[in-house]
Amino acid sequence: DVKVTQSSRYLVKRTGEKVFLECVQDMDHENMFWYRQDPGLGLRLIYFSYDVKMKEKGDIPEGYSVSREKKERFSLILESASTNQTSMYLCASSLGSGVITDTQYFGPGTRLTVL
Amino acid sequence: DAKTTQPPSMDCAEGRAANLPCNHSTISGNEYVYWYRQIHSQGPQYIIHGLKNNETNEMASLIITEDRKSSTLILPHATLRDTAVYYCIVSLSGGGADGLTFGKGTHLIIQP
């Protein structure tokens, strides 16, 4: 079974702090994704990566950056956290490799509160 | 610009079949229908996907109409653990190329 783990289930930070959210997958997947989930807005894609050191902006990249130095690890960075970044953050991975139909595997989520 | 339409909520009795509808009238010929679900406080979980033909796996069945404008996810014997939000998603590649777009989904409540 694919396992996607996230560094924290719950996190509380202060406005202006730099925040790192870590995601690790153990199935040698090429693609990794960061989403945020807010009530009434569903899941929205922040960034994704299809290879080491590669990144692509999703629908809402403003205020975020990402890092993928190793294939299994994808980090989401909030350079200066703000209260409107309080949300549930979900990481996902998928096989990639040009498969016709891919399946995403999600981590348990990190609930971030910015005070 | 929603690509799928689902009822916001549904109830089903435990042990009965749960039938969750989804309308996707603007689906293009090479787009797949995917279903995911999200149990409270967990990440979404893949259930099943299909293109034209009906599909079945150990979790569910997917029935796609001949014109492909709608589909139904069937959980044959619902249990309390099936209470979750179910998302119907239309995608070219399952999100592998550019992520998935989740709508609001259907909150399925299994009643004891």
Side-chain angles (χ1 to χ4, degrees), chain A residues 94 99-106, chain B residues 4 6 22 24 27 30-37 45-51 62 64 68 71-73 86-97 99-103:
Chain A
S94 71
V99 295
I100 295 174
T101 58
D102 213 351
T103 301
Q104 294 204 0
Y105 296 85
F106 285 82
Chain B
T4 64
Q6 298 177 253
C22 179
H24 32 79
I27 191 171
N30 52 357
E31 285 183 311
Y32 289 77
V33 179
Y34 277 77
W35 284 84
Y36 282 75
R37 74 179 183 184
Q45 175 192 23
Y46 165 80
I47 302 173
I48 198 167
H49 73 279
L51 183 64
L62 174 60
I64 303 174
R68 302 207 328 121
S71 60
T72 301
L73 178 75
Y86 286 77
Y87 297 98
C88 169
I89 300 164
V90 167
S91 173
L92 279 171
S93 63
L100 290 170
T101 300
F102 285 74

mmCIF file of all heavy atoms in Angstrom, chain A residues 94 99-106, chain B residues 4 6 22 24 27 30-37 45-51 62 64 68 71-73 86-97 99-103:
data_model
loop_
_atom_site.group_PDB
_atom_site.id
_atom_site.type_symbol
_atom_site.label_atom_id
_atom_site.label_comp_id
_atom_site.label_asym_id
_atom_site.label_seq_id
_atom_site.Cartn_x
_atom_site.Cartn_y
_atom_site.Cartn_z
ATOM 1 N N SER A 94 1.293 10.659 -6.869
ATOM 2 C CA SER A 94 0.780 9.743 -7.884
ATOM 3 C C SER A 94 1.939 9.204 -8.696
ATOM 4 O O SER A 94 3.015 9.815 -8.753
ATOM 5 C CB SER A 94 -0.247 10.423 -8.788
ATOM 6 O OG SER A 94 0.366 11.367 -9.635
ATOM 7 N N VAL A 99 1.555 7.465 -17.258
ATOM 8 C CA VAL A 99 0.419 6.540 -17.265
ATOM 9 C C VAL A 99 -0.808 7.255 -17.815
ATOM 10 O O VAL A 99 -0.978 8.450 -17.621
ATOM 11 C CB VAL A 99 0.131 5.982 -15.854
ATOM 12 C CG1 VAL A 99 1.281 5.141 -15.375
ATOM 13 C CG2 VAL A 99 -0.174 7.100 -14.871
ATOM 14 N N ILE A 100 -1.671 6.517 -18.461
ATOM 15 C CA ILE A 100 -2.853 7.133 -19.068
ATOM 16 C C ILE A 100 -3.806 7.633 -18.001
ATOM 17 O O ILE A 100 -4.343 8.733 -18.075
ATOM 18 C CB ILE A 100 -3.549 6.129 -19.994
ATOM 19 C CG1 ILE A 100 -2.621 5.792 -21.159
ATOM 20 C CG2 ILE A 100 -4.877 6.684 -20.496
ATOM 21 C CD1 ILE A 100 -3.142 4.700 -22.061
ATOM 22 N N THR A 101 -4.049 6.804 -17.009
ATOM 23 C CA THR A 101 -4.919 7.230 -15.922
ATOM 24 C C THR A 101 -4.176 7.047 -14.609
ATOM 25 O O THR A 101 -3.744 5.954 -14.289
ATOM 26 C CB THR A 101 -6.231 6.428 -15.875
ATOM 27 O OG1 THR A 101 -5.945 5.043 -15.741
ATOM 28 C CG2 THR A 101 -7.048 6.653 -17.125
ATOM 29 N N ASP A 102 -4.041 8.133 -13.901
ATOM 30 C CA ASP A 102 -3.269 8.128 -12.674
ATOM 31 C C ASP A 102 -4.209 8.178 -11.486
ATOM 32 O O ASP A 102 -5.366 8.547 -11.617
ATOM 33 C CB ASP A 102 -2.319 9.330 -12.664
ATOM 34 C CG ASP A 102 -1.029 9.047 -11.949
ATOM 35 O OD1 ASP A 102 -0.923 7.988 -11.304
ATOM 36 O OD2 ASP A 102 -0.112 9.886 -12.026
ATOM 37 N N THR A 103 -3.717 7.813 -10.334
ATOM 38 C CA THR A 103 -4.505 7.827 -9.105
ATOM 39 C C THR A 103 -3.710 8.562 -8.051
ATOM 40 O O THR A 103 -2.523 8.310 -7.895
ATOM 41 C CB THR A 103 -4.778 6.389 -8.629
ATOM 42 O OG1 THR A 103 -5.479 5.692 -9.650
ATOM 43 C CG2 THR A 103 -5.583 6.393 -7.346
ATOM 44 N N GLN A 104 -4.379 9.447 -7.350
ATOM 45 C CA GLN A 104 -3.684 10.203 -6.312
ATOM 46 C C GLN A 104 -3.892 9.560 -4.952
ATOM 47 O O GLN A 104 -4.992 9.116 -4.621
ATOM 48 C CB GLN A 104 -4.173 11.652 -6.291
ATOM 49 C CG GLN A 104 -3.812 12.393 -7.556
ATOM 50 C CD GLN A 104 -3.748 13.886 -7.384
ATOM 51 O OE1 GLN A 104 -3.962 14.438 -6.303
ATOM 52 N NE2 GLN A 104 -3.438 14.574 -8.466
ATOM 53 N N TYR A 105 -2.821 9.518 -4.171
ATOM 54 C CA TYR A 105 -2.858 8.998 -2.814
ATOM 55 C C TYR A 105 -2.566 10.155 -1.868
ATOM 56 O O TYR A 105 -1.560 10.847 -2.022
ATOM 57 C CB TYR A 105 -1.816 7.893 -2.640
ATOM 58 C CG TYR A 105 -2.077 6.684 -3.506
ATOM 59 C CD1 TYR A 105 -1.627 6.630 -4.819
ATOM 60 C CD2 TYR A 105 -2.800 5.607 -3.021
ATOM 61 C CE1 TYR A 105 -1.880 5.535 -5.624
ATOM 62 C CE2 TYR A 105 -3.061 4.494 -3.809
ATOM 63 C CZ TYR A 105 -2.599 4.468 -5.108
ATOM 64 O OH TYR A 105 -2.861 3.386 -5.905
ATOM 65 N N PHE A 106 -3.453 10.326 -0.915
ATOM 66 C CA PHE A 106 -3.383 11.483 -0.035
ATOM 67 C C PHE A 106 -2.840 11.129 1.347
ATOM 68 O O PHE A 106 -3.053 10.027 1.852
ATOM 69 C CB PHE A 106 -4.778 12.103 0.144
ATOM 70 C CG PHE A 106 -5.242 12.872 -1.052
ATOM 71 C CD1 PHE A 106 -5.814 12.225 -2.131
ATOM 72 C CD2 PHE A 106 -5.108 14.253 -1.101
ATOM 73 C CE1 PHE A 106 -6.241 12.930 -3.246
ATOM 74 C CE2 PHE A 106 -5.540 14.978 -2.203
ATOM 75 C CZ PHE A 106 -6.099 14.311 -3.279
ATOM 76 N N THR B 4 -18.830 19.017 -12.681
ATOM 77 C CA THR B 4 -19.723 17.989 -12.177
ATOM 78 C C THR B 4 -20.736 18.604 -11.225
ATOM 79 O O THR B 4 -20.472 19.625 -10.595
ATOM 80 C CB THR B 4 -18.947 16.890 -11.436
ATOM 81 O OG1 THR B 4 -18.329 17.455 -10.282
ATOM 82 C CG2 THR B 4 -17.892 16.244 -12.317
ATOM 83 N N GLN B 6 -23.346 17.328 -8.070
ATOM 84 C CA GLN B 6 -23.740 16.261 -7.167
ATOM 85 C C GLN B 6 -24.714 16.820 -6.131
ATOM 86 O O GLN B 6 -24.631 17.996 -5.766
ATOM 87 C CB GLN B 6 -22.508 15.719 -6.423
ATOM 88 C CG GLN B 6 -21.436 15.110 -7.298
ATOM 89 C CD GLN B 6 -20.242 14.669 -6.453
ATOM 90 O OE1 GLN B 6 -19.190 15.286 -6.473
ATOM 91 N NE2 GLN B 6 -20.432 13.580 -5.724
ATOM 92 N N CYS B 22 -24.095 11.576 -10.206
ATOM 93 C CA CYS B 22 -23.230 12.677 -10.604
ATOM 94 C C CYS B 22 -23.558 13.056 -12.039
ATOM 95 O O CYS B 22 -23.644 12.186 -12.905
ATOM 96 C CB CYS B 22 -21.767 12.268 -10.491
ATOM 97 S SG CYS B 22 -20.587 13.555 -10.985
ATOM 98 N N HIS B 24 -22.340 15.118 -15.361
ATOM 99 C CA HIS B 24 -21.146 15.708 -16.002
ATOM 100 C C HIS B 24 -21.452 15.885 -17.479
ATOM 101 O O HIS B 24 -20.825 15.260 -18.335
ATOM 102 C CB HIS B 24 -19.894 14.866 -15.759
ATOM 103 C CG HIS B 24 -20.137 13.395 -15.640
ATOM 104 N ND1 HIS B 24 -20.343 12.556 -16.731
ATOM 105 C CD2 HIS B 24 -20.205 12.609 -14.537
ATOM 106 C CE1 HIS B 24 -20.515 11.328 -16.303
ATOM 107 N NE2 HIS B 24 -20.444 11.321 -14.980
ATOM 108 N N ILE B 27 -18.720 16.616 -20.272
ATOM 109 C CA ILE B 27 -17.534 15.758 -20.318
ATOM 110 C C ILE B 27 -17.090 15.571 -21.767
ATOM 111 O O ILE B 27 -17.914 15.433 -22.687
ATOM 112 C CB ILE B 27 -17.839 14.402 -19.638
ATOM 113 C CG1 ILE B 27 -16.561 13.597 -19.434
ATOM 114 C CG2 ILE B 27 -18.877 13.615 -20.431
ATOM 115 C CD1 ILE B 27 -16.760 12.348 -18.563
ATOM 116 N N ASN B 30 -12.424 12.076 -24.118
ATOM 117 C CA ASN B 30 -11.273 11.401 -23.531
ATOM 118 C C ASN B 30 -11.117 11.670 -22.034
ATOM 119 O O ASN B 30 -10.061 11.390 -21.464
ATOM 120 C CB ASN B 30 -9.993 11.799 -24.273
ATOM 121 C CG ASN B 30 -9.838 13.300 -24.365
ATOM 122 O OD1 ASN B 30 -10.707 14.055 -23.935
ATOM 123 N ND2 ASN B 30 -8.725 13.755 -24.917
ATOM 124 N N GLU B 31 -12.141 12.214 -21.426
ATOM 125 C CA GLU B 31 -12.082 12.455 -19.978
ATOM 126 C C GLU B 31 -12.670 11.276 -19.218
ATOM 127 O O GLU B 31 -13.683 10.702 -19.611
ATOM 128 C CB GLU B 31 -12.843 13.733 -19.611
ATOM 129 C CG GLU B 31 -12.091 15.000 -19.990
ATOM 130 C CD GLU B 31 -12.818 16.251 -19.557
ATOM 131 O OE1 GLU B 31 -14.030 16.365 -19.822
ATOM 132 O OE2 GLU B 31 -12.169 17.119 -18.949
ATOM 133 N N TYR B 32 -12.030 10.946 -18.111
ATOM 134 C CA TYR B 32 -12.473 9.873 -17.255
ATOM 135 C C TYR B 32 -13.339 10.426 -16.125
ATOM 136 O O TYR B 32 -13.206 11.589 -15.734
ATOM 137 C CB TYR B 32 -11.270 9.143 -16.641
ATOM 138 C CG TYR B 32 -10.489 8.325 -17.628
ATOM 139 C CD1 TYR B 32 -9.609 8.929 -18.523
ATOM 140 C CD2 TYR B 32 -10.626 6.940 -17.679
ATOM 141 C CE1 TYR B 32 -8.891 8.174 -19.430
ATOM 142 C CE2 TYR B 32 -9.906 6.179 -18.579
ATOM 143 C CZ TYR B 32 -9.046 6.804 -19.453
ATOM 144 O OH TYR B 32 -8.333 6.061 -20.351
ATOM 145 N N VAL B 33 -14.154 9.552 -15.563
ATOM 146 C CA VAL B 33 -14.906 9.880 -14.356
ATOM 147 C C VAL B 33 -14.220 9.189 -13.182
ATOM 148 O O VAL B 33 -14.038 7.961 -13.195
ATOM 149 C CB VAL B 33 -16.372 9.404 -14.445
ATOM 150 C CG1 VAL B 33 -17.116 9.746 -13.157
ATOM 151 C CG2 VAL B 33 -17.063 10.031 -15.653
ATOM 152 N N TYR B 34 -13.821 9.981 -12.200
ATOM 153 C CA TYR B 34 -13.166 9.471 -11.003
ATOM 154 C C TYR B 34 -14.055 9.714 -9.786
ATOM 155 O O TYR B 34 -14.762 10.718 -9.715
ATOM 156 C CB TYR B 34 -11.839 10.203 -10.753
ATOM 157 C CG TYR B 34 -10.670 9.682 -11.535
ATOM 158 C CD1 TYR B 34 -10.508 9.991 -12.879
ATOM 159 C CD2 TYR B 34 -9.709 8.889 -10.912
ATOM 160 C CE1 TYR B 34 -9.424 9.512 -13.590
ATOM 161 C CE2 TYR B 34 -8.621 8.411 -11.609
ATOM 162 C CZ TYR B 34 -8.482 8.720 -12.949
ATOM 163 O OH TYR B 34 -7.410 8.244 -13.650
ATOM 164 N N TRP B 35 -13.967 8.803 -8.846
ATOM 165 C CA TRP B 35 -14.639 8.990 -7.563
ATOM 166 C C TRP B 35 -13.614 8.844 -6.435
ATOM 167 O O TRP B 35 -12.836 7.895 -6.404
ATOM 168 C CB TRP B 35 -15.772 7.986 -7.363
ATOM 169 C CG TRP B 35 -16.994 8.301 -8.149
ATOM 170 C CD1 TRP B 35 -17.251 7.986 -9.462
ATOM 171 C CD2 TRP B 35 -18.163 8.977 -7.683
ATOM 172 N NE1 TRP B 35 -18.503 8.431 -9.823
ATOM 173 C CE2 TRP B 35 -19.080 9.047 -8.755
ATOM 174 C CE3 TRP B 35 -18.531 9.539 -6.454
ATOM 175 C CZ2 TRP B 35 -20.324 9.650 -8.632
ATOM 176 C CZ3 TRP B 35 -19.771 10.134 -6.333
ATOM 177 C CH2 TRP B 35 -20.658 10.188 -7.411
ATOM 178 N N TYR B 36 -13.655 9.809 -5.536
ATOM 179 C CA TYR B 36 -12.882 9.777 -4.303
ATOM 180 C C TYR B 36 -13.855 9.987 -3.142
ATOM 181 O O TYR B 36 -14.951 10.511 -3.329
ATOM 182 C CB TYR B 36 -11.845 10.906 -4.267
ATOM 183 C CG TYR B 36 -10.604 10.662 -5.085
ATOM 184 C CD1 TYR B 36 -10.631 10.760 -6.477
ATOM 185 C CD2 TYR B 36 -9.395 10.359 -4.476
ATOM 186 C CE1 TYR B 36 -9.493 10.547 -7.228
ATOM 187 C CE2 TYR B 36 -8.242 10.147 -5.220
ATOM 188 C CZ TYR B 36 -8.293 10.242 -6.595
ATOM 189 O OH TYR B 36 -7.157 10.035 -7.341
ATOM 190 N N ARG B 37 -13.421 9.608 -1.967
ATOM 191 C CA ARG B 37 -14.220 9.930 -0.788
ATOM 192 C C ARG B 37 -13.295 10.440 0.319
ATOM 193 O O ARG B 37 -12.101 10.150 0.331
ATOM 194 C CB ARG B 37 -15.023 8.744 -0.289
ATOM 195 C CG ARG B 37 -14.214 7.661 0.421
ATOM 196 C CD ARG B 37 -15.134 6.552 0.884
ATOM 197 N NE ARG B 37 -14.420 5.527 1.618
ATOM 198 C CZ ARG B 37 -14.996 4.408 2.065
ATOM 199 N NH1 ARG B 37 -16.301 4.192 1.855
ATOM 200 N NH2 ARG B 37 -14.293 3.520 2.724
ATOM 201 N N GLN B 45 -9.632 9.550 -0.393
ATOM 202 C CA GLN B 45 -9.258 8.178 -0.743
ATOM 203 C C GLN B 45 -9.844 7.846 -2.100
ATOM 204 O O GLN B 45 -11.043 8.049 -2.342
ATOM 205 C CB GLN B 45 -9.791 7.220 0.326
ATOM 206 C CG GLN B 45 -9.574 5.752 0.039
ATOM 207 C CD GLN B 45 -10.363 4.860 0.979
ATOM 208 O OE1 GLN B 45 -11.368 5.283 1.559
ATOM 209 N NE2 GLN B 45 -9.919 3.636 1.149
ATOM 210 N N TYR B 46 -9.025 7.317 -2.993
ATOM 211 C CA TYR B 46 -9.491 6.893 -4.313
ATOM 212 C C TYR B 46 -10.469 5.726 -4.176
ATOM 213 O O TYR B 46 -10.255 4.808 -3.367
ATOM 214 C CB TYR B 46 -8.303 6.488 -5.163
ATOM 215 C CG TYR B 46 -8.648 5.706 -6.407
ATOM 216 C CD1 TYR B 46 -9.095 6.359 -7.561
ATOM 217 C CD2 TYR B 46 -8.540 4.320 -6.439
ATOM 218 C CE1 TYR B 46 -9.410 5.646 -8.705
ATOM 219 C CE2 TYR B 46 -8.860 3.616 -7.581
ATOM 220 C CZ TYR B 46 -9.293 4.278 -8.702
ATOM 221 O OH TYR B 46 -9.612 3.564 -9.836
ATOM 222 N N ILE B 47 -11.548 5.758 -4.982
ATOM 223 C CA ILE B 47 -12.493 4.643 -4.977
ATOM 224 C C ILE B 47 -12.440 3.887 -6.301
ATOM 225 O O ILE B 47 -12.167 2.690 -6.335
ATOM 226 C CB ILE B 47 -13.938 5.135 -4.731
ATOM 227 C CG1 ILE B 47 -14.043 5.885 -3.414
ATOM 228 C CG2 ILE B 47 -14.912 3.960 -4.759
ATOM 229 C CD1 ILE B 47 -15.402 6.545 -3.202
ATOM 230 N N ILE B 48 -12.705 4.583 -7.391
ATOM 231 C CA ILE B 48 -12.867 3.903 -8.673
ATOM 232 C C ILE B 48 -12.832 4.945 -9.782
ATOM 233 O O ILE B 48 -13.032 6.139 -9.527
ATOM 234 C CB ILE B 48 -14.199 3.112 -8.682
ATOM 235 C CG1 ILE B 48 -14.236 2.056 -9.779
ATOM 236 C CG2 ILE B 48 -15.395 4.068 -8.805
ATOM 237 C CD1 ILE B 48 -15.397 1.051 -9.597
ATOM 238 N N HIS B 49 -12.581 4.510 -11.020
ATOM 239 C CA HIS B 49 -12.705 5.419 -12.151
ATOM 240 C C HIS B 49 -13.115 4.630 -13.383
ATOM 241 O O HIS B 49 -12.964 3.393 -13.420
ATOM 242 C CB HIS B 49 -11.413 6.205 -12.408
ATOM 243 C CG HIS B 49 -10.290 5.405 -12.997
ATOM 244 N ND1 HIS B 49 -9.476 4.608 -12.230
ATOM 245 C CD2 HIS B 49 -9.844 5.298 -14.271
ATOM 246 C CE1 HIS B 49 -8.559 4.052 -13.007
ATOM 247 N NE2 HIS B 49 -8.761 4.436 -14.250
ATOM 248 N N GLY B 50 -13.642 5.344 -14.385
ATOM 249 C CA GLY B 50 -14.054 4.689 -15.620
ATOM 250 C C GLY B 50 -14.132 5.679 -16.763
ATOM 251 O O GLY B 50 -14.195 6.893 -16.557
ATOM 252 N N LEU B 51 -14.156 5.134 -17.972
ATOM 253 C CA LEU B 51 -14.254 5.972 -19.177
ATOM 254 C C LEU B 51 -15.624 5.818 -19.834
ATOM 255 O O LEU B 51 -16.357 6.776 -19.984
ATOM 256 C CB LEU B 51 -13.145 5.590 -20.159
ATOM 257 C CG LEU B 51 -13.071 6.411 -21.432
ATOM 258 C CD1 LEU B 51 -12.738 7.868 -21.128
ATOM 259 C CD2 LEU B 51 -12.039 5.814 -22.397
ATOM 260 N N LEU B 62 -19.214 1.432 -10.597
ATOM 261 C CA LEU B 62 -19.437 2.699 -11.281
ATOM 262 C C LEU B 62 -20.241 2.422 -12.535
ATOM 263 O O LEU B 62 -19.806 1.638 -13.389
ATOM 264 C CB LEU B 62 -18.099 3.352 -11.625
ATOM 265 C CG LEU B 62 -18.145 4.627 -12.463
ATOM 266 C CD1 LEU B 62 -18.937 5.724 -11.764
ATOM 267 C CD2 LEU B 62 -16.731 5.110 -12.780
ATOM 268 N N ILE B 64 -21.821 4.212 -15.804
ATOM 269 C CA ILE B 64 -21.758 5.412 -16.642
ATOM 270 C C ILE B 64 -22.804 5.281 -17.736
ATOM 271 O O ILE B 64 -22.858 4.250 -18.420
ATOM 272 C CB ILE B 64 -20.355 5.589 -17.247
ATOM 273 C CG1 ILE B 64 -19.301 5.655 -16.134
ATOM 274 C CG2 ILE B 64 -20.291 6.846 -18.117
ATOM 275 C CD1 ILE B 64 -17.867 5.691 -16.633
ATOM 276 N N ARG B 68 -22.622 9.253 -21.550
ATOM 277 C CA ARG B 68 -21.554 9.676 -20.640
ATOM 278 C C ARG B 68 -21.837 10.991 -19.937
ATOM 279 O O ARG B 68 -20.948 11.591 -19.335
ATOM 280 C CB ARG B 68 -20.195 9.746 -21.351
ATOM 281 C CG ARG B 68 -19.777 8.460 -21.973
ATOM 282 C CD ARG B 68 -18.286 8.226 -22.135
ATOM 283 N NE ARG B 68 -17.519 9.421 -22.366
ATOM 284 C CZ ARG B 68 -16.534 9.820 -21.570
ATOM 285 N NH1 ARG B 68 -16.235 9.153 -20.474
ATOM 286 N NH2 ARG B 68 -15.859 10.921 -21.851
ATOM 287 N N SER B 71 -23.285 9.635 -14.210
ATOM 288 C CA SER B 71 -22.809 8.358 -13.684
ATOM 289 C C SER B 71 -23.361 8.163 -12.283
ATOM 290 O O SER B 71 -23.868 9.106 -11.649
ATOM 291 C CB SER B 71 -21.283 8.300 -13.673
ATOM 292 O OG SER B 71 -20.738 9.327 -12.861
ATOM 293 N N THR B 72 -23.269 6.929 -11.810
ATOM 294 C CA THR B 72 -23.721 6.587 -10.469
ATOM 295 C C THR B 72 -22.674 5.710 -9.803
ATOM 296 O O THR B 72 -22.229 4.714 -10.389
ATOM 297 C CB THR B 72 -25.059 5.827 -10.498
ATOM 298 O OG1 THR B 72 -26.046 6.638 -11.139
ATOM 299 C CG2 THR B 72 -25.526 5.493 -9.084
ATOM 300 N N LEU B 73 -22.294 6.096 -8.613
ATOM 301 C CA LEU B 73 -21.419 5.268 -7.792
ATOM 302 C C LEU B 73 -22.307 4.431 -6.888
ATOM 303 O O LEU B 73 -23.200 4.962 -6.225
ATOM 304 C CB LEU B 73 -20.486 6.139 -6.945
ATOM 305 C CG LEU B 73 -19.559 5.360 -6.014
ATOM 306 C CD1 LEU B 73 -18.423 4.719 -6.819
ATOM 307 C CD2 LEU B 73 -18.975 6.260 -4.932
ATOM 308 N N TYR B 86 -18.349 12.251 -0.722
ATOM 309 C CA TYR B 86 -17.962 11.563 -1.946
ATOM 310 C C TYR B 86 -17.841 12.578 -3.073
ATOM 311 O O TYR B 86 -18.759 13.354 -3.327
ATOM 312 C CB TYR B 86 -19.005 10.496 -2.293
ATOM 313 C CG TYR B 86 -18.916 9.301 -1.376
ATOM 314 C CD1 TYR B 86 -19.427 9.374 -0.073
ATOM 315 C CD2 TYR B 86 -18.298 8.123 -1.777
ATOM 316 C CE1 TYR B 86 -19.318 8.292 0.792
ATOM 317 C CE2 TYR B 86 -18.190 7.042 -0.921
ATOM 318 C CZ TYR B 86 -18.700 7.140 0.365
ATOM 319 O OH TYR B 86 -18.579 6.079 1.216
ATOM 320 N N TYR B 87 -16.707 12.544 -3.747
ATOM 321 C CA TYR B 87 -16.424 13.491 -4.808
ATOM 322 C C TYR B 87 -16.408 12.785 -6.159
ATOM 323 O O TYR B 87 -15.713 11.776 -6.338
ATOM 324 C CB TYR B 87 -15.061 14.148 -4.601
ATOM 325 C CG TYR B 87 -14.938 14.969 -3.344
ATOM 326 C CD1 TYR B 87 -14.352 14.436 -2.195
ATOM 327 C CD2 TYR B 87 -15.376 16.289 -3.310
ATOM 328 C CE1 TYR B 87 -14.223 15.196 -1.042
ATOM 329 C CE2 TYR B 87 -15.245 17.053 -2.158
ATOM 330 C CZ TYR B 87 -14.674 16.503 -1.031
ATOM 331 O OH TYR B 87 -14.546 17.264 0.108
ATOM 332 N N CYS B 88 -17.142 13.336 -7.100
ATOM 333 C CA CYS B 88 -17.126 12.892 -8.487
ATOM 334 C C CYS B 88 -16.274 13.889 -9.264
ATOM 335 O O CYS B 88 -16.516 15.096 -9.199
ATOM 336 C CB CYS B 88 -18.553 12.853 -9.014
ATOM 337 S SG CYS B 88 -18.724 12.615 -10.780
ATOM 338 N N ILE B 89 -15.284 13.409 -9.994
ATOM 339 C CA ILE B 89 -14.330 14.297 -10.668
ATOM 340 C C ILE B 89 -14.165 13.833 -12.100
ATOM 341 O O ILE B 89 -14.048 12.635 -12.367
ATOM 342 C CB ILE B 89 -12.961 14.251 -9.953
ATOM 343 C CG1 ILE B 89 -13.103 14.713 -8.498
ATOM 344 C CG2 ILE B 89 -11.931 15.103 -10.683
ATOM 345 C CD1 ILE B 89 -11.931 14.341 -7.634
ATOM 346 N N VAL B 90 -14.147 14.791 -13.012
ATOM 347 C CA VAL B 90 -13.877 14.493 -14.410
ATOM 348 C C VAL B 90 -12.450 14.927 -14.718
ATOM 349 O O VAL B 90 -12.064 16.055 -14.412
ATOM 350 C CB VAL B 90 -14.888 15.234 -15.310
ATOM 351 C CG1 VAL B 90 -14.450 15.198 -16.748
ATOM 352 C CG2 VAL B 90 -16.270 14.628 -15.156
ATOM 353 N N SER B 91 -11.682 14.046 -15.295
ATOM 354 C CA SER B 91 -10.267 14.345 -15.499
ATOM 355 C C SER B 91 -9.714 13.593 -16.704
ATOM 356 O O SER B 91 -10.089 12.452 -16.960
ATOM 357 C CB SER B 91 -9.471 13.965 -14.245
ATOM 358 O OG SER B 91 -8.088 14.089 -14.450
ATOM 359 N N LEU B 92 -8.780 14.243 -17.408
ATOM 360 C CA LEU B 92 -8.128 13.595 -18.546
ATOM 361 C C LEU B 92 -7.201 12.476 -18.088
ATOM 362 O O LEU B 92 -7.068 11.455 -18.747
ATOM 363 C CB LEU B 92 -7.313 14.625 -19.325
ATOM 364 C CG LEU B 92 -8.065 15.506 -20.308
ATOM 365 C CD1 LEU B 92 -7.154 16.606 -20.822
ATOM 366 C CD2 LEU B 92 -8.592 14.673 -21.463
ATOM 367 N N SER B 93 -6.539 12.699 -16.962
ATOM 368 C CA SER B 93 -5.458 11.786 -16.596
ATOM 369 C C SER B 93 -5.492 11.356 -15.145
ATOM 370 O O SER B 93 -4.543 10.780 -14.655
ATOM 371 C CB SER B 93 -4.119 12.467 -16.867
ATOM 372 O OG SER B 93 -4.006 13.609 -16.038
ATOM 373 N N GLY B 94 -6.563 11.672 -14.443
ATOM 374 C CA GLY B 94 -6.603 11.336 -13.027
ATOM 375 C C GLY B 94 -5.803 12.284 -12.178
ATOM 376 O O GLY B 94 -5.493 11.991 -11.033
ATOM 377 N N GLY B 95 -5.466 13.422 -12.765
ATOM 378 C CA GLY B 95 -4.764 14.422 -11.975
ATOM 379 C C GLY B 95 -3.264 14.282 -12.013
ATOM 380 O O GLY B 95 -2.546 15.083 -11.427
ATOM 381 N N GLY B 96 -2.783 13.273 -12.687
ATOM 382 C CA GLY B 96 -1.347 13.071 -12.708
ATOM 383 C C GLY B 96 -0.598 14.192 -13.383
ATOM 384 O O GLY B 96 0.529 14.504 -13.003
ATOM 385 N N ALA B 97 -1.233 14.818 -14.354
ATOM 386 C CA ALA B 97 -0.541 15.869 -15.094
ATOM 387 C C ALA B 97 -0.646 17.229 -14.416
ATOM 388 O O ALA B 97 0.250 18.046 -14.510
ATOM 389 C CB ALA B 97 -1.106 15.956 -16.503
ATOM 390 N N GLY B 99 -2.972 17.834 -11.277
ATOM 391 C CA GLY B 99 -3.790 17.871 -10.076
ATOM 392 C C GLY B 99 -5.256 17.622 -10.370
ATOM 393 O O GLY B 99 -5.680 17.553 -11.521
ATOM 394 N N LEU B 100 -6.022 17.452 -9.320
ATOM 395 C CA LEU B 100 -7.455 17.192 -9.424
ATOM 396 C C LEU B 100 -8.245 18.411 -8.974
ATOM 397 O O LEU B 100 -7.806 19.149 -8.100
ATOM 398 C CB LEU B 100 -7.844 16.003 -8.549
ATOM 399 C CG LEU B 100 -7.359 14.628 -9.012
ATOM 400 C CD1 LEU B 100 -7.614 13.595 -7.933
ATOM 401 C CD2 LEU B 100 -8.043 14.236 -10.306
ATOM 402 N N THR B 101 -9.400 18.589 -9.578
ATOM 403 C CA THR B 101 -10.305 19.659 -9.161
ATOM 404 C C THR B 101 -11.476 19.035 -8.423
ATOM 405 O O THR B 101 -12.289 18.331 -9.021
ATOM 406 C CB THR B 101 -10.805 20.458 -10.372
ATOM 407 O OG1 THR B 101 -9.684 21.036 -11.033
ATOM 408 C CG2 THR B 101 -11.772 21.548 -9.920
ATOM 409 N N PHE B 102 -11.523 19.273 -7.123
ATOM 410 C CA PHE B 102 -12.593 18.729 -6.299
ATOM 411 C C PHE B 102 -13.709 19.759 -6.176
ATOM 412 O O PHE B 102 -13.450 20.916 -5.875
ATOM 413 C CB PHE B 102 -12.085 18.406 -4.889
ATOM 414 C CG PHE B 102 -11.233 17.177 -4.789
ATOM 415 C CD1 PHE B 102 -9.925 17.183 -5.265
ATOM 416 C CD2 PHE B 102 -11.720 16.013 -4.220
ATOM 417 C CE1 PHE B 102 -9.129 16.056 -5.168
ATOM 418 C CE2 PHE B 102 -10.923 14.881 -4.114
ATOM 419 C CZ PHE B 102 -9.631 14.905 -4.588
ATOM 420 N N GLY B 103 -14.945 19.311 -6.369
ATOM 421 C CA GLY B 103 -16.104 20.156 -6.102
ATOM 422 C C GLY B 103 -16.503 20.013 -4.647
ATOM 423 O O GLY B 103 -15.669 19.702 -3.794
#
